[in-house]
Amino acid sequence: MRIEANLILFFWAFSIFSCLCFSVSSVNFGYRFHSSAIKAEQVKLPRKSSGTNKLYKTKYFTQILDHFNFNPKSYQKFQHRYLINDTYWGGPKKNSPIFVYTGNEGDIEWFAQNTGFMFDIAPHFQALLVFIEHRFYGKSIPFGGDKDVAYSNASTLGYLTSTQALADYATLIIDLKKNLTAVDAPVVVFGGSYGGSMIKIQFKQTLISFLFFSCLILMFWAVLASWFRLKYPHVAIGALASSAPILNFENITSPYSFNNIITQDFRSESENCYKVIKGSWKKIEDTGKQSGGLELLRKSFRICKNFIDVDVLESWLETAFAYTAMTDYPTPSNFLNPMPAYPVKQMCKAIDDPKSGNDTFAKLYGAASVYYNYSGTATCFNLAYSPDPHGLDMWSWQACTEMIMPTSGSNKESIFPENQWNYSRRAAACKAFYGVHPRPNWITTEFGGHDIYRVLKRYGSNMIFFNGLRDPWSGGGVLKNISKTIVAIVAEQGAHHVDLRFATKDDPKWLRDVRQMEINIISDWISQYYHDLAHQS
């Protein structure tokens, strides 16, 4: 069965927390991925001695399609993209380290441009930097690079799995070290979150609501980094996993945790802010049902004239609140959109502004503008469809197969409408769209998760888990030390992988301290490696 292009677009529409509603009798795939909401961080590029000024070089590795079977199709090859920066590398004679970014569900260049910590510390360690793209994303497309073929059905998409991706990374790293005559160079892997999108589906009058988790930008690369260290300890001597929700599988973590943290982020700033947002959903829905209500909503929120819908408008607002909570950074950023420092505080200031009186919609518009229009350049907001600028399409496949994360629950205290996680609805939707049944127990079978503090203490080592408690993903993270070498760093004011961002002069002391702790731990790993290498010799 071929998956039509509009079906694929539907699944990733609305980025991390978008919601869609449609009926079987009249499917509308014109809903929008908020492309304007996703922009690469502006970075200061390292200057090489030769006078060139580039962040990385682009290279390709001939990768095998299937690492785990030996039938003829398994031996097919594809061009696997990776980025490399040798500006500060001490070279193979010194066995200088190699820092590898385990790519996630999108274009690798986007993520490389937003992982400044690796560039910042490369001079200190004289490290080679390598950013490896995840298969089926960006330009690393199997089946001749043809997305129409690669994305066509479950037979081709079946090669898109986390285990295949990890094997890709191991194969590429080993080959790269051989080619660089750097077989003894220590490798440290880095990652900072796989992504997410919440989709509401009205299916024969039944509302199906579930979260498809991707860090997009924001979740999976840290998960992959930690899993890579566990599965390939002979390839990487250590892993820094920032904001990695490795406990968000198979009901290890409460499905209400994610939205509860978002709720607390806003409620901690202002009780009135929390109450206004919490009470707004019914007001929006009631207004939409009234004669002329949709037009009133369109004008209140400055929505462009081409499209307006209550469910999509609510999704648009939910996206703003959820993304802002995740990226509640202490300094201005434009990782997703241009935003001020502490954007949750700024949203609540807009809601609490006495100038808006009792006008709930004016308050919400002011809050949403912090996320969608902080630069002040937007004249209206377009809810209609636009192309995905970062190649996130196929996260929906992973969310329908192995990445089953029960995180969409909202209880009575939640800032979002009350909702229960329902696996059977997720499974039914995945079966309807892809013809596959999810495997909710596979991740914990393959990588573990249950009793992790007892299990990893006995066989794991050299891992850093960073979590900021203002990050909704922290509920599924490792929040306490597992052993002397598996360390949890927890920052009460931290947001999503804030430690991996480029350092700025305005970073608070706690953030500088977190990064210094990470540098010290990585230094210990490398020193121990050199000691063991010399002793072995």
Side-chain angles (χ1 to χ4, degrees):
M1 178 185 70
R2 181 176 177 80
I3 301 172
E4 298 298 334
N6 57 0
L7 175 59
I8 294 173
L9 293 173
F10 161 76
F11 263 98
W12 55 250
F14 269 118
S15 74
I16 285 187
F17 291 98
S18 317
C19 303
L20 302 182
C21 288
F22 66 92
S23 66
V24 175
S25 60
S26 58
V27 179
N28 186 334
F29 295 102
Y31 299 140
R32 177 176 183 257
F33 178 89
H34 297 296
S35 58
S36 62
I38 311 295
K39 297 182 179 180
E41 188 75 43
Q42 296 299 312
V43 298
K44 185 177 181 180
L45 307 183
R47 183 171 295 279
K48 299 182 69 171
S49 58
S50 63
T52 60
N53 190 359
K54 293 183 178 181
L55 196 60
Y56 44 73
K57 297 176 183 177
T58 301
K59 294 184 177 294
Y60 288 87
F61 172 71
T62 301
Q63 188 66 263
I64 192 170
L65 177 64
D66 184 0
H67 297 280
F68 304 108
N69 293 286
F70 297 91
N71 55 55
K73 194 171 184 178
S74 298
Y75 291 89
Q76 291 186 29
K77 304 294 179 63
F78 69 94
Q79 293 304 299
H80 190 182
R81 182 168 62 157
Y82 67 99
L83 313 175
I84 191 167
N85 183 303
D86 62 357
T87 304
Y88 303 108
W89 193 35
K93 292 183 179 180
K94 295 182 179 180
N95 284 327
S96 294
I98 301 173
F99 290 168
V100 175
Y101 173 94
T102 51
N104 40 319
E105 74 294 359
D107 190 300
I108 190 61
E109 293 194 71
W110 179 33
F111 295 107
Q113 293 165 12
N114 286 284
T115 311
F117 181 66
M118 291 175 64
F119 292 96
D120 289 340
I121 66 175
H124 172 78
F125 288 100
Q126 294 187 310
L128 176 71
L129 302 183
V130 182
F131 296 81
I132 308 178
E133 193 160 63
H134 195 297
R135 60 167 51 202
F136 282 83
Y137 294 101
K139 294 185 178 179
S140 300
I141 309 298
F143 302 102
D146 189 339
K147 289 186 177 181
D148 288 339
V149 175
Y151 296 174
S152 62
N153 55 55
S155 295
T156 54
L157 284 171
Y159 296 100
L160 171 52
T161 69
S162 58
T163 50
Q164 293 281 9
L166 293 177
D168 286 343
Y169 302 153
T171 303
L172 194 156
I173 292 168
I174 291 171
D175 186 83
L176 179 64
K177 290 176 70 175
K178 288 180 180 178
N179 289 338
L180 295 173
T181 62
V183 175
D184 290 330
V187 173
V188 177
V189 292
F190 294 73
S193 174
Y194 222 150
S197 63
M198 181 169 67
I199 302 176
K200 289 182 181 176
I201 305 176
Q202 187 173 332
F203 197 70
K204 291 186 177 179
Q205 309 305 317
T206 300
L207 186 66
I208 301 174
S209 178
F210 54 96
L211 279 175
F212 277 175
F213 282 96
S214 71
C215 196
L216 178 104
I217 4 178
L218 299 169
M219 185 275 289
F220 196 59
W221 15 309
V223 170
L224 285 178
S226 62
W227 290 343
F228 189 86
R229 169 60 183 161
L230 295 176
K231 288 294 182 181
Y232 297 96
H234 57 292
V235 178
I237 67 166
L240 168 55
S242 178
S243 302
I246 63 172
L247 304 181
N248 254 129
F249 296 92
E250 204 181 343
N251 297 318
I252 299 173
T253 300
S254 167
Y256 299 101
S257 172
F258 191 92
N259 286 335
N260 283 350
I261 295 174
I262 296 175
T263 298
Q264 180 57 31
D265 286 349
F266 282 89
R267 199 167 193 175
S268 66
E269 294 295 343
S270 164
E271 183 70 16
N272 178 66
C273 177
Y274 157 75
K275 288 181 177 179
V276 168
I277 297 173
K278 179 176 175 58
S280 66
W281 312 111
K282 186 176 187 303
K283 188 175 181 63
I284 291 172
E285 290 166 6
D286 290 345
T287 301
K289 295 174 183 177
Q290 298 171 5
S291 176
L294 287 178
E295 182 63 16
L296 175 61
L297 291 172
R298 190 188 66 75
K299 290 181 178 179
S300 297
F301 291 97
R302 279 56 163 191
I303 305 302
C304 300
K305 293 183 178 181
N306 60 335
F307 178 75
I308 180 65
D309 177 86
V310 168
D311 295 301
V312 178
L313 175 61
E314 287 184 340
S315 300
W316 182 76
L317 291 169
E318 289 173 0
T319 299
F321 297 137
Y323 267 144
T324 300
M326 276 191 285
T327 57
D328 192 32
Y329 298 135
T331 55
S333 70
N334 64 346
F335 174 40
L336 302 180
N337 270 358
M339 286 196 290
Y342 302 107
V344 171
K345 183 186 294 293
Q346 296 304 316
M347 276 191 167
C348 284
K349 283 181 65 176
I351 287 175
D352 293 340
D353 190 344
K355 294 179 181 178
S356 57
N358 295 321
D359 189 340
T360 297
F361 295 161
K363 293 176 181 294
L364 291 179
Y365 169 76
S369 294
V370 173
Y371 178 74
Y372 288 115
N373 194 27
Y374 183 65
S375 62
T377 58
T379 57
C380 70
F381 300 111
N382 186 2
L383 301 184
Y385 163 78
S386 65
D388 166 19
H390 296 295
L392 310 172
D393 324 31
M394 283 301 104
W395 175 252
S396 57
W397 166 263
Q398 294 187 261
C400 268
T401 50
E402 58 181 356
M403 296 297 159
I404 310 302
M405 292 182 157
T407 55
S408 60
S410 297
N411 57 27
K412 290 183 179 179
E413 293 297 309
S414 175
I415 202 169
F416 299 122
E418 195 170 352
N419 178 61
Q420 289 187 340
W421 158 258
N422 190 311
Y423 168 73
S424 62
R425 291 174 179 174
R426 163 79 72 92
C430 292
K431 178 63 175 177
F433 285 109
Y434 282 116
V436 297
H437 291 285
R439 298 180 185 176
N441 304 328
W442 173 244
I443 289 298
T444 54
T445 301
E446 175 71 2
F447 302 110
H450 294 288
D451 299 321
I452 192 170
Y453 293 96
R454 173 181 60 81
V455 175
L456 284 191
K457 185 176 182 179
R458 284 165 171 76
Y459 85 90
S461 65
N462 288 10
M463 300 172 72
I464 302 170
F465 290 99
F466 169 80
N467 280 282
L469 296 186
R470 293 185 70 83
D471 176 16
W473 293 105
S474 65
V478 175
L479 301 180
K480 60 181 181 181
N481 292 349
I482 293 177
S483 68
K484 290 183 179 180
T485 59
I486 303 180
V487 180
I489 300 177
V490 179
E492 184 177 351
Q493 296 301 312
H496 197 63
H497 60 73
V498 64
D499 57 323
L500 294 188
R501 292 176 53 76
F502 281 88
T504 76
K505 62 180 178 59
D506 297 320
D507 289 336
K509 183 179 183 301
W510 65 260
L511 180 53
R512 297 196 301 271
D513 290 344
V514 163
R515 289 177 176 142
Q516 190 58 55
M517 290 174 63
E518 294 172 345
I519 291 171
N520 293 343
I521 294 171
I522 294 171
S523 295
D524 289 343
W525 295 345
I526 295 174
S527 295
Q528 184 63 52
Y529 173 84
Y530 289 150
H531 176 271
D532 294 344
L533 187 65
H535 180 73
Q536 183 180 14
S537 299

